[in-house]
Amino acid sequence: MDRNEAKARIEELRAVLWENSRKYYVDNAPTMSDYDYDHLMRELEDLENEFPEFYSPDSPTQRVGSDLEDGPAAQQGFVQREHRYPMLSLANTYSRTEIEEFAARASKLLEGREFSYCCELKFDGTSICLTYKAGKLVRALTRGDGRVGDDVTENVLRIANIPHVLKGDYPDEFEIRGEILMPYSSFDHLNQQRIEGEDQPFANPRNAASGSLKLLDPDEVARRGLYCTLYHIPAQSLADDTLSSTHSGLLEKAASWGLPVSEYNKICHGIGEILEYIDYWDTERKKLPYATDGIVIKINELEYQRELGYTAKSPRWAVAYKFKAEQALAKVLGIDYQVGRTGAVTPVANLSPVLLSGTVVRRATLNNADQMAILDIRIGDMVYVEKGGEIIPKITGVDLSQRPEDSLPVEFPLECPDCHTPLQRGEGEAKWFCPNTDGCPMQIKGRLLHFMSRKAMNIIAGDSTVDQLYNLGLAHTPADLYDLKASQLMTLEGWKEKSAKRFIDSLQESVKVPFERVLFALGIRYVGEQTAKEVARHFGDIDAIAAASEEDLAAVKDVGDVIARSIFEYMADGRHAIEIQRLRARGLKFAVDGESRSVLSDALSGQTIVVSGNFSVSRETIKDLIARHGGRNSGSVSTKTSFLLAGSKPGPEKVAKCRDLGIRIVSEDEFWTMLPQGSRISNKDESEPTLF
Ligand code: IVH
């Protein structure tokens, strides 16, 4: 790989990893398996080592993923507080050889001195940092971004196995860290309730634990059946360093004060015992009532831990060995083809029920036609099923030795299973699509469901309501929903006064949803929650988005050419303009509120600005400032451009075009003088402080 290729790949990997880290830690709805995520992270680490010139303190290899929600503090439910000692992550591997290498390195660094390892389970939940003062639990912080966390003390006080008051001979003040888990039994119960209430179930116990910990109602937290296990006392947090000379000794003390510490920790001497522990738990963990995803190996002597120290992201004295996702064998009973709201057709296999990571699996996705063909999957086959990041597990292989003799290859359908329109597949697309956007019932219902979903307009209704409204011809597009009347709903089968009122109230409530969520709710292809947020903040209102060129759209943070084209095409379609007009007439928000845009001034109002080159702060920051001072960002120079803001090394074509058109070129220094006094920010203000 040459330098340019490496640079491009590094940028791509950083973007993909941050996006997924957000989905994992903030949304609690990952779309990538841990295994795939860890592999991409490793690829990035390797590239950054090979090309150190592309080092960045902002790389996901240098910073822990953050569970903090962005936006103004007022919108967040929790106070954020600084950690006294950064909360770090762990280096991880799926390779036993790398565990051997870790042990060999440790022996070498400690030069023949005797030491031991503390081997522990790696609990798959969400981390927590507890502070006890005078024996009382006074604070509980989530990991946050490692530097500051959300104060969830009120919620943690409602977790049954966390003591409010300690017993015995505890130190006056100390911190202890661990994991909040949701046992499988609580998880199954919660998801059952959510399905009945037509809420989206959680993909796995980890997401459920972390979502539950961030609830704003402590009573509801208490009902969620969470569980805590503690595994680390930062030795710096203890005034008295004679308490114990080992990590396991400190944990034993913690247990004697009444704190929940795992009973499965084991002191190991040498790599042989470590590997035995790994092998034992690889199978035994399946019997545990909660999820674990590996084991953690820690050097046990605190003195040696201090000597080995930390990298920016993790301790050098510990490593996690992660188990590959659990697999199970199940029989393929049939294959359904689901048509999503975008028209994409996804094959889904119906399976004989099988227990996988603590839950019963009956369906698994096959992704697309190519994957089906590669696996040559057949009805009656025994297949390997694995849980990735999504709710529906995936099929990863076929056990050919068990294939029935008379089985036939499965043909991917040529037409839409719902509306029978011939399917199409664009060049370079992995999926087949039903092109009947306006007439295909599955697509129409899918769009309505998306519009109403919790992260979009949060309108309380589920599949059956949408089916009914669609079948009766009462709702085709989201705007139709707002024409419904309680009196009309009450005449329909299954509706009562109360349910009709609840539905209408929830529709009325939804008009308060901020613009960024309305934009997401519209269901523009590739525009997820985060992209909608960026686009909304960048342009401010729907008219500016509709007026934007593809280049203007591509100038938004995280928006590439494909997304820009998709938004542009959506806005250019007259039917969408009418739909937006109808929704607007019903009072939905099509402009950002003052607060989330946080306008700083109108210093650049009426100016269309093209940004090019490198600046003393990031280009994103410059663009954000332009928008917040009333200016408009544009990706390309045209006669409409007010000026080109050129940092060092601006694009030569842009500069040439400005010269041709007689457009002014403004330097960074001059730019700062255009903003109100005191607006200049320096690199220091925008970068995150590095840990350690
Ligand atoms: S020790 C500085 N021990 O795994 C060392 N972490 O992937 C801090 N985890 O952020 C971590 N079980 O949330 C430690 N026995 C265990 C663990 C554990 C689960 C989590 C923890 C950490 C993450 C890293």
Side-chain angles (χ1 to χ4, degrees):
M1 192 179 276
D2 70 22
R3 229 177 137 264
N4 284 339
E5 284 166 347
K7 183 163 185 274
R9 181 69 182 150
I10 286 175
E11 276 170 18
E12 183 183 13
L13 286 167
R14 285 178 184 165
V16 170
L17 289 166
W18 276 133
E19 174 70 22
N20 273 282
S21 154
R22 195 193 143 75
K23 287 182 177 166
Y24 186 93
Y25 288 112
V26 181
D27 302 342
N28 294 315
T31 50
M32 186 184 268
S33 72
D34 285 8
Y35 186 75
D36 293 342
Y37 180 87
D38 291 335
H39 272 260
L40 293 180
M41 183 72 86
R42 184 57 75 93
E43 185 188 342
L44 178 59
E45 274 166 14
D46 290 347
L47 277 174
E48 287 178 346
N49 284 337
E50 198 182 332
F51 298 92
E53 63 269 42
F54 300 130
Y55 164 83
S56 158
D58 287 339
S59 171
T61 58
Q62 304 298 316
R63 282 169 43 188
V64 303
S66 170
D67 64 47
L68 301 175
E69 309 218 2
D70 50 15
Q75 273 172 24
Q76 296 150 3
F78 301 98
V79 177
Q80 293 181 354
R81 297 189 198 282
E82 213 160 307
H83 286 293
R84 290 180 61 189
Y85 318 99
M87 261 183 106
L88 299 182
S89 174
L90 287 170
N92 70 48
T93 175
Y94 291 83
S95 141
R96 292 164 69 98
T97 315
E98 288 188 10
I99 296 296
E100 288 170 2
E101 285 165 9
F102 168 81
R105 222 170 23 247
S107 304
K108 197 169 162 214
L109 284 167
L110 298 175
E111 288 172 318
R113 285 172 280 176
E114 214 167 285
F115 67 98
S116 58
Y117 300 96
C118 182
C119 290
E120 304 171 7
L121 294 172
K122 185 169 184 319
F123 302 97
D124 197 9
T126 181
S127 28
I128 193 75
C129 176
L130 309 179
T131 304
Y132 281 87
K133 257 191 207 164
K136 283 208 182 97
L137 176 61
V138 291
R139 179 166 296 174
L141 299 184
T142 67
R143 182 166 81 175
D145 62 3
R147 194 177 55 85
V148 289
D150 281 327
D151 186 332
V152 290
T153 314
E154 291 305 312
N155 286 348
V156 162
L157 284 167
R158 308 299 299 275
I159 298 175
N161 77 328
I162 297 184
H164 296 190
V165 179
L166 301 179
K167 56 179 187 176
D169 191 14
Y170 48 78
D172 191 44
E173 182 174 350
F174 67 99
E175 272 189 12
I176 185 160
R177 296 173 174 185
E179 205 83 352
I180 304 291
L181 304 164
M182 185 175 284
Y184 292 124
S185 56
S186 311
F187 173 70
D188 289 341
H189 179 69
L190 173 65
N191 265 358
Q192 196 54 43
Q193 277 183 334
R194 288 177 75 90
I195 292 165
E196 281 162 17
E198 301 196 326
D199 268 332
Q200 181 80 352
F202 283 107
N204 53 49
R206 194 212 74 84
N207 299 341
S210 131
S212 300
L213 192 61
K214 296 269 185 108
L215 287 170
L216 297 178
D217 173 7
D219 288 340
E220 179 57 22
V221 179
R223 285 192 284 271
R224 294 274 170 111
L226 295 170
Y227 173 84
C228 176
T229 181
L230 299 167
Y231 47 62
H232 180 56
I233 297 185
Q236 316 94 299
S237 89
L238 292 166
D240 173 8
D241 62 4
T242 60
L243 216 50
S244 173
S245 61
T246 60
H247 160 77
S248 59
L250 286 180
L251 289 184
E252 274 166 33
K253 293 265 181 198
S256 78
W257 307 325
L259 288 161
V261 172
S262 172
E263 60 191 289
Y264 306 121
N265 296 351
K266 187 169 182 244
I267 308 297
C268 290
H269 303 273
I271 185 68
E273 288 180 21
I274 295 177
L275 295 177
E276 255 173 49
Y277 187 86
I278 291 181
D279 289 338
Y280 177 79
W281 283 108
D282 198 358
T283 48
E284 277 309 292
R285 73 191 181 103
K286 291 169 195 163
K287 300 181 190 157
L288 293 170
Y290 43 68
T292 55
D293 60 347
I295 70 150
V296 182
I297 301 138
K298 299 173 180 170
I299 291 184
N300 197 26
E301 289 70 21
L302 299 177
E303 185 193 340
Y304 300 154
Q305 287 191 359
R306 269 192 293 275
E307 200 169 309
L308 293 169
Y310 295 82
T311 70
K313 214 178 142 178
S314 52
R316 288 200 187 85
W317 45 260
V319 65
Y321 173 83
K322 287 182 80 170
F323 296 123
K324 291 216 178 67
E326 228 182 286
Q327 287 196 329
L329 264 176
K331 188 174 189 159
V332 179
L333 306 175
I335 294 175
D336 287 341
Y337 297 88
Q338 290 184 343
V339 186
R341 64 185 165 88
T342 60
V345 180
T346 305
V348 177
N350 292 310
L351 305 169
S352 57
V354 59
L355 194 67
L356 184 61
S357 311
T359 47
V360 180
V361 170
R362 291 190 172 82
R363 282 160 75 73
T365 177
L366 281 152
N367 288 323
N368 54 48
D370 288 347
Q371 211 211 344
M372 251 173 83
I374 291 168
L375 294 174
D376 178 24
I377 198 151
R378 301 182 183 193
I379 313 291
D381 270 346
M382 293 302 287
V383 291
Y384 293 102
V385 196
E386 208 175 86
K387 276 198 182 162
E390 289 136 329
I391 293 190
I392 302 189
K394 57 185 177 191
I395 292 182
T396 54
V398 178
D399 182 355
L400 290 173
S401 70
Q402 298 196 55
R403 170 164 284 176
E405 271 178 20
D406 53 353
S407 71
L408 294 172
V410 178
E411 305 268 346
F412 199 86
L414 297 172
E415 51 182 49
C416 174
D418 203 26
C419 68
H420 306 291
T421 307
L423 298 180
Q424 294 177 356
R425 182 165 160 169
E427 209 178 305
E429 298 262 17
K431 296 226 172 196
W432 286 89
F433 282 86
C434 166
N436 184 15
T437 317
D438 287 335
C440 176
M442 276 206 193
Q443 290 187 53
I444 296 171
K445 289 189 275 186
R447 285 196 295 269
L448 287 171
L449 276 171
H450 169 75
F451 181 84
M452 296 159 95
S453 62
R454 199 166 49 86
K455 295 205 162 154
M457 305 303 287
N458 194 24
I459 298 166
I460 308 161
D463 294 15
S464 53
T465 306
V466 169
D467 269 342
Q468 186 186 32
L469 295 175
Y470 172 80
N471 292 339
L472 294 170
L474 293 173
H476 246 236
T477 72
D480 297 339
L481 297 170
Y482 293 90
D483 291 341
L484 295 167
K485 307 250 170 327
S487 54
Q488 178 188 18
L489 292 171
M490 271 157 61
T491 63
L492 308 180
E493 202 189 318
W495 291 79
K496 295 214 174 70
E497 193 180 333
K498 212 168 146 193
S499 51
K501 182 171 180 307
R502 196 167 87 116
F503 185 64
I504 298 291
D505 285 351
S506 137
L507 275 166
Q508 274 165 4
E509 191 60 23
S510 78
V511 304
K512 297 184 196 150
V513 159
F515 174 45
E516 59 199 43
R517 275 172 55 193
V518 176
L519 188 61
F520 168 62
L522 293 178
I524 305 170
R525 203 164 164 207
Y526 307 122
V527 179
E529 253 183 293
Q530 188 57 22
T531 308
K533 206 178 258 180
E534 296 295 348
V535 173
R537 284 187 191 163
H538 184 100
F539 290 101
D541 61 39
I542 196 86
D543 297 325
I545 299 174
S549 67
E550 278 186 55
E551 286 85 7
D552 294 343
L553 289 160
V556 180
K557 181 170 175 240
D558 295 341
V559 173
D561 293 347
V562 176
I563 305 180
R565 179 156 326 119
S566 169
I567 302 176
F568 184 77
E569 284 173 359
Y570 181 94
M571 293 295 166
D573 187 326
R575 289 166 305 182
H576 295 144
I578 295 171
E579 175 72 9
I580 289 169
Q581 205 41 51
R582 284 180 67 201
L583 291 170
R584 208 177 214 175
R586 290 289 175 187
L588 271 71
K589 292 198 174 160
F590 280 96
V592 289
D593 296 335
E595 195 192 356
S596 56
R597 188 173 170 77
S598 55
V599 174
L600 298 171
S601 81
D602 59 359
L604 301 173
S605 132
Q607 313 255 37
T608 300
I609 302 161
V610 177
V611 179
S612 183
N614 301 322
F615 297 85
S616 63
V617 294
S618 78
R619 201 151 47 215
E620 288 318 326
T621 305
I622 295 274
K623 286 183 182 169
D624 187 49
L625 281 174
I626 290 177
R628 290 169 71 184
H629 286 283
R632 215 165 86 86
N633 283 286
S634 170
S636 59
V637 177
S638 74
T639 48
K640 289 190 205 139
T641 307
S642 311
F643 62 85
L644 172 75
L645 173 53
S648 64
K649 298 198 198 127
E653 283 164 22
K654 288 201 170 90
V655 172
K657 195 150 180 203
C658 282
R659 298 239 157 89
D660 278 355
L661 297 173
I663 288 166
R664 203 151 70 91
I665 299 178
V666 167
S667 70
E668 181 181 341
D669 280 340
E670 194 182 342
F671 171 71
W672 293 119
T673 66
M674 294 174 160
L675 305 183
Q677 250 193 352
S679 300
R680 179 165 197 151
I681 58 167
S682 68
N683 202 342
K684 195 166 95 285
D685 302 328
E686 64 164 1
S687 70
E688 296 274 335
T690 38
L691 304 169
F692 288 94

